[in-house]
Amino acid sequence: MMIIGCDLHTRYQQIAMLDTDSGELTERRLEHENGEARAFYAALTGPVRVGIEATGHTQWFEAMLAEMGHELWVGDAAQMRASVVRKQKTDTRDAAHALDLLVKNRFPRIWRPSWEERDLRQLVWHRQKLVWMRGAVKNQLHALAMGQGVCRKQKLFTAKGRQELEGLALGPWAQNRKERGAQPTTFPLTARHKADNLY
């Protein structure tokens, strides 16, 4: 069996691998973008267990290992760090530490939701983002109206309030900001708008 402690980064990973049959220990760095990591894992035969610290942006790595039939364990980051005797961190030490925890059956494995559950969470998170964006746009329109002495709170977004908002006499950029807030998809975001923070 191959047991691999992996310190996973965005562009590369550092691994410490133990072949339990021969006792051979391998340490190396694998690049992601050039396909080196994929080629390395694809060449491994027999049971393979990989341990990583819980971190973000691991979906591609999890999917790749699952495709190859390798087992992935994700560890509690706080518990893994707390169990390190020497606090000086390097990629090589982190990978070796993950391997040591795996070999000694002390790896603090955490539960991972299924792919379907994670995809549903993306939908919920996207919905939450849209709600925040809607609130931000409403706040901007409220600020423009109050700057003209019009304070209607939620009534600003009724049919009557919308007519009142449309009738406000504003300067050119304030008018543009109001129109972009009211109809965000009909106005292209130009470099000038970005520079003036008119999003």
Side-chain angles (χ1 to χ4, degrees):
M1 180 178 191
M2 296 293 185
I3 303 178
I4 302 174
C6 175
D7 185 29
L8 188 67
H9 296 268
T10 307
R11 294 188 175 92
Y12 70 93
Q13 59 184 270
Q14 179 71 35
I15 65 159
M17 179 175 71
L18 176 68
D19 184 335
T20 58
D21 294 330
S22 66
E24 181 184 359
L25 179 66
T26 305
E27 293 183 331
R28 64 181 288 188
R29 173 177 161 139
L30 302 170
E31 300 294 329
H32 295 161
E33 195 168 327
N34 64 7
E36 183 182 17
R38 172 173 279 277
F40 172 81
Y41 287 105
L44 297 178
T45 57
V48 176
R49 178 176 298 156
V50 182
I52 64 172
E53 183 179 284
T55 183
H57 313 293
T58 61
Q59 184 173 350
W60 71 271
F61 187 60
E62 295 179 55
M64 182 186 76
L65 293 182
E67 172 191 326
M68 296 174 183
H70 301 331
E71 185 180 14
L72 177 67
W73 285 16
V74 180
D76 183 287
Q79 289 185 44
M80 290 179 73
R81 290 185 192 130
S83 62
V84 177
V85 176
R86 186 171 179 178
K87 298 304 179 184
Q88 182 181 3
K89 283 176 58 67
T90 67
D91 295 343
T92 304
R93 283 200 185 104
D94 288 348
H97 179 60
L99 175 62
D100 184 60
L101 292 174
L102 286 165
V103 170
K104 293 180 178 176
N105 290 320
R106 293 176 47 234
F107 192 83
R109 189 178 183 187
I110 60 173
W111 173 82
R112 300 284 288 162
S114 68
W115 291 108
E116 292 77 13
E117 288 169 326
R118 278 185 266 180
D119 192 50
L120 182 59
R121 289 179 184 187
Q122 290 293 324
L123 174 64
V124 173
W125 179 239
H126 179 65
R127 170 63 181 164
Q128 182 62 58
K129 285 276 204 178
L130 292 177
V131 170
W132 287 340
M133 289 168 64
R134 181 183 65 187
V137 169
K138 282 186 169 184
N139 289 341
Q140 288 188 48
L141 293 174
H142 268 302
L144 287 171
M146 287 189 293
Q148 300 299 312
V150 177
C151 183
R152 298 290 182 266
K153 297 186 178 180
Q154 288 303 315
K155 291 181 180 178
L156 186 65
F157 303 106
T158 63
K160 182 179 178 181
R162 178 66 181 267
Q163 286 181 348
E164 197 170 8
L165 182 63
E166 291 294 334
L168 293 178
L170 302 171
W173 280 110
Q175 179 69 21
N176 181 272
R177 183 178 173 195
K178 180 191 74 174
E179 291 171 352
R180 286 173 53 78
Q183 301 172 7
T185 60
T186 59
F187 291 83
L189 188 60
T190 66
R192 177 70 183 275
H193 293 152
K194 290 179 181 178
D196 289 311
N197 293 321
L198 296 176
Y199 342 21

